[in-house]
Amino acid sequence: MKKHNKYALLGLKALERAVAKVAENARKNKYKIPVWKNGRIEYEIPGIITEQASAPDAKSRGI
């Protein structure tokens, strides 16, 4: 199995952090953000994210 480029993984983590900040700001200020649903763009206030990306005790990927 081909391993992912470490810079691609770092970029993905940075994008995930940016998305979380934008969603948090939108929730706090009751802004609507565009979301692609059912083949069209809908505007909604993001909900609270309750799922974790990884387990807290998961080992680092060695990045």
Side-chain angles (χ1 to χ4, degrees), residues 2 6 18 43 58:
K2 183 180 175 184
K6 69 177 183 177
Y43 294 89

Side-chain angles (χ1 to χ4, degrees), residues 3-25:
K3 290 190 175 186
H4 297 287
N5 184 344
K6 69 177 183 177
Y7 295 112
L9 291 174
L10 288 173
L12 176 63
K13 294 276 187 190
L15 286 172
E16 289 173 345
R17 286 191 305 270
V19 166
K21 286 183 179 183
V22 168
E24 180 183 353
N25 186 24

Side-chain angles (χ1 to χ4, degrees), residues 31-37 40-46:
Y31 295 147
K32 292 184 178 183
I33 59 172
V35 179
W36 186 263
K37 283 188 178 180
R40 59 181 227 180
I41 297 175
E42 296 181 10
Y43 294 89
E44 61 182 40
I45 298 174

